[in-house]
Amino acid sequence: MDATRVRDNLQVILKRVFPAEGPHELRINQLLSSPELVTMPDNHCAPLLDVIELRHPEPQKIMVFPLLRPFDQPKFQTFGEFVAFF
């Protein structure tokens, strides 16, 4: 899901993570976004900007990433590309 960060109007992407379903995903993203690794030329991961913790109705976290490009850029060439995207 996309959103806009209020403090600087930066367009961001939100990804919900349930700790029980993927306990390592958040830690891996935090590691790859660390100051030591984020500047490495071989690190092609989108940087993790923030983590929002929610407790209700169940514990979950939302990872915040910068919007790298609009979903339709470049334009879809075939119906198959469109279907694969979704």
Side-chain angles (χ1 to χ4, degrees):
M1 176 187 326
D2 62 335
T4 302
R5 191 165 62 176
V6 175
R7 73 172 177 236
D8 58 5
N9 287 331
L10 179 69
Q11 285 189 289
V12 295
I13 297 293
L14 305 176
K15 182 174 185 201
R16 183 172 57 176
V17 178
F18 293 100
E21 293 177 12
H24 305 295
E25 183 176 5
L26 177 58
R27 286 190 297 179
I28 291 169
N29 274 286
Q30 288 171 323
L31 174 66
L32 293 171
S33 295
S34 67
E36 300 83 29
L37 297 179
V38 77
T39 57
M40 293 184 70
D42 292 336
N43 183 355
H44 300 288
C45 298
L48 181 64
L49 300 175
D50 203 357
V51 177
I52 302 168
E53 293 192 42
L54 304 174
R55 301 200 189 282
H56 300 287
E58 60 187 291
Q60 55 188 306
K61 295 181 181 184
I62 298 176
M63 296 188 297
V64 181
F65 297 98
L67 177 66
L68 300 177
R69 66 178 188 194
F71 76 92
D72 60 348
Q73 296 293 324
K75 301 278 185 212
F76 294 113
Q77 298 291 321
T78 66
F79 184 72
E81 288 177 355
F82 173 79
V83 171
F85 173 80
F86 285 97

